[in-house]
PDB file of all heavy atoms in Angstrom:
ATOM      1  N   ILE F  29      -6.910  -4.971  10.534  1.00 86.00           N
ATOM      2  CA  ILE F  29      -6.327  -6.246  10.963  1.00 86.00           C
ATOM      3  C   ILE F  29      -4.992  -6.486  10.263  1.00 86.00           C
ATOM      4  O   ILE F  29      -4.011  -6.906  10.885  1.00 86.00           O
ATOM      5  CB  ILE F  29      -7.311  -7.400  10.673  1.00 86.00           C
ATOM      6  CG1 ILE F  29      -8.537  -7.285  11.578  1.00 86.00           C
ATOM      7  CG2 ILE F  29      -6.630  -8.755  10.874  1.00 86.00           C
ATOM      8  CD1 ILE F  29      -9.668  -8.208  11.196  1.00 86.00           C
ATOM      9  N   SER F  33      -1.413  -6.762  12.042  1.00 85.00           N
ATOM     10  CA  SER F  33      -0.609  -7.975  11.825  1.00 85.00           C
ATOM     11  C   SER F  33       0.780  -7.610  11.329  1.00 85.00           C
ATOM     12  O   SER F  33       1.789  -8.180  11.768  1.00 85.00           O
ATOM     13  CB  SER F  33      -1.301  -8.886  10.813  1.00 85.00           C
ATOM     14  OG  SER F  33      -2.587  -9.262  11.249  1.00 85.00           O
ATOM     15  N   MET F  41      12.349 -11.115  13.669  1.00 60.00           N
ATOM     16  CA  MET F  41      13.473 -11.269  12.758  1.00 60.00           C
ATOM     17  C   MET F  41      13.699 -12.723  12.344  1.00 60.00           C
ATOM     18  O   MET F  41      14.575 -13.031  11.571  1.00 60.00           O
ATOM     19  CB  MET F  41      14.750 -10.724  13.407  1.00 60.00           C
ATOM     20  CG  MET F  41      14.671  -9.243  13.707  1.00 60.00           C
ATOM     21  SD  MET F  41      14.277  -8.259  12.244  1.00 60.00           S
ATOM     22  CE  MET F  41      14.047  -6.650  12.985  1.00 60.00           C
ATOM     23  N   ASN F 110      -2.929  12.713  10.537  1.00 81.00           N
ATOM     24  CA  ASN F 110      -2.828  11.284  10.798  1.00 81.00           C
ATOM     25  C   ASN F 110      -2.975  10.477   9.511  1.00 81.00           C
ATOM     26  O   ASN F 110      -3.550  10.943   8.523  1.00 81.00           O
ATOM     27  CB  ASN F 110      -3.917  10.837  11.783  1.00 81.00           C
ATOM     28  CG  ASN F 110      -3.505  11.026  13.223  1.00 81.00           C
ATOM     29  OD1 ASN F 110      -2.373  10.730  13.591  1.00 81.00           O
ATOM     30  ND2 ASN F 110      -4.411  11.535  14.041  1.00 81.00           N
ATOM     31  N   PHE F 173      13.525  -2.683  -4.043  1.00 97.00           N
ATOM     32  CA  PHE F 173      14.656  -1.770  -4.132  1.00 97.00           C
ATOM     33  C   PHE F 173      15.941  -2.524  -4.463  1.00 97.00           C
ATOM     34  O   PHE F 173      16.176  -3.626  -3.980  1.00 97.00           O
ATOM     35  CB  PHE F 173      14.835  -1.007  -2.816  1.00 97.00           C
ATOM     36  CG  PHE F 173      13.722  -0.050  -2.511  1.00 97.00           C
ATOM     37  CD1 PHE F 173      12.861  -0.276  -1.445  1.00 97.00           C
ATOM     38  CD2 PHE F 173      13.523   1.075  -3.292  1.00 97.00           C
ATOM     39  CE1 PHE F 173      11.832   0.606  -1.164  1.00 97.00           C
ATOM     40  CE2 PHE F 173      12.496   1.965  -3.026  1.00 97.00           C
ATOM     41  CZ  PHE F 173      11.642   1.735  -1.954  1.00 97.00           C
ATOM     42  N   LEU F 220      21.580  13.978  -3.132  1.00 95.00           N
ATOM     43  CA  LEU F 220      20.794  13.373  -4.210  1.00 95.00           C
ATOM     44  C   LEU F 220      21.430  13.630  -5.574  1.00 95.00           C
ATOM     45  O   LEU F 220      21.402  12.766  -6.453  1.00 95.00           O
ATOM     46  CB  LEU F 220      19.366  13.930  -4.200  1.00 95.00           C
ATOM     47  CG  LEU F 220      18.454  13.525  -3.040  1.00 95.00           C
ATOM     48  CD1 LEU F 220      17.165  14.324  -3.077  1.00 95.00           C
ATOM     49  CD2 LEU F 220      18.154  12.028  -3.080  1.00 95.00           C
ATOM     50  N   VAL F 310       1.993  11.260   4.267  1.00 94.00           N
ATOM     51  CA  VAL F 310       2.303  11.585   5.664  1.00 94.00           C
ATOM     52  C   VAL F 310       3.074  10.429   6.278  1.00 94.00           C
ATOM     53  O   VAL F 310       2.730   9.264   6.098  1.00 94.00           O
ATOM     54  CB  VAL F 310       0.987  11.822   6.461  1.00 94.00           C
ATOM     55  CG1 VAL F 310       1.302  11.981   7.942  1.00 94.00           C
ATOM     56  CG2 VAL F 310       0.248  13.029   5.926  1.00 94.00           C
TER      57      VAL F 310
END
Side-chain angles (χ1 to χ4, degrees):
I29 292 169
S33 301
M41 298 304 173
N110 274 317
F173 293 112
L220 290 172
V310 173

